[in-house]
Amino acid sequence: MAITLVNPTGLVEVDAYRQVSVASGSKLVFIAGQVAWDADGVTVGEGDLAAQVEQCYLNIGTALSAVGGTFDDVAKLNVHVVDWTPDKMPLLMEGITRAAARLGTAPVPPATLLGVAALDVPEHLVEIEATAVLD
């Protein structure tokens, strides 16, 4: 395993992710921001943030699988949510939880959550990019 996730003493422990990711692998994988498109380019879960988050995570899993990785190889996520407000956190977590169950893992690498005004397609509510490290 090329990634070790850590919650250092002295930093707040957040349930949704770990504060630090230590990479020891040799191949960096940069995954473009994934939106809630299925393989045919159809938006999954229009108007449903949890469904769109789930699809983004599944798309990242598909991209990683194509290069010999899994979500366990993710070192960092950047999450962009349209019109973010803290009351959307339960929906974000619901989508992550559902994706974790389908991926068979707990996707908790360090993450940055950013509220944005809009994404490239009006129906998209979230875009997630990932950086992974493979052995």
Side-chain angles (χ1 to χ4, degrees), residues 118-132:
L119 295 171
D120 65 328
V121 176
E123 339 23 272
H124 293 160
L125 304 175
V126 61
E127 182 170 337
I128 304 173
E129 60 183 285
T131 301

Side-chain angles (χ1 to χ4, degrees), residues 1 12 17 38-39 52 57 59 72 78 86 106 116 119 125 130-131:
M1 182 75 45
V12 66
Y17 61 88
D38 66 11
Q52 289 198 17
Y57 273 74
N59 289 349
D72 292 331
N78 291 317
V116 297
L119 295 171
L125 304 175
T131 301

Side-chain angles (χ1 to χ4, degrees), residues 6-131:
V6 180
N7 268 330
T9 301
L11 294 180
V12 66
E13 188 168 324
V14 180
D15 291 336
Y17 61 88
R18 302 301 176 262
Q19 292 281 11
V20 176
S21 174
V22 179
S24 61
S26 59
K27 184 192 305 186
L28 290 175
V29 179
F30 300 94
I31 299 172
Q34 295 298 301
V35 293
W37 276 328
D38 66 11
D40 296 319
V42 175
T43 299
V44 173
E46 191 167 336
D48 182 345
L49 180 59
Q52 289 198 17
V53 168
E54 179 181 10
Q55 186 64 43
C56 291
Y57 273 74
L58 295 176
N59 289 349
I60 291 168
T62 298
L64 288 165
S65 179
V67 296
T70 70
F71 226 102
D72 292 331
D73 298 308
V74 173
K76 177 76 167 64
L77 294 171
N78 291 317
V79 181
H80 303 87
V81 180
V82 173
D83 296 326
W84 174 257
T85 56
D87 63 311
K88 293 181 180 179
M89 185 59 85
L91 294 171
L92 180 72
M93 295 308 300
E94 178 184 336
I96 293 170
T97 299
R98 292 189 333 214
R102 291 182 62 186
L103 292 165
T105 187
V108 294
T112 298
L113 173 60
L114 299 168
V116 297
L119 295 171
D120 65 328
V121 176
E123 339 23 272
H124 293 160
L125 304 175
V126 61
E127 182 170 337
I128 304 173
E129 60 183 285
T131 301

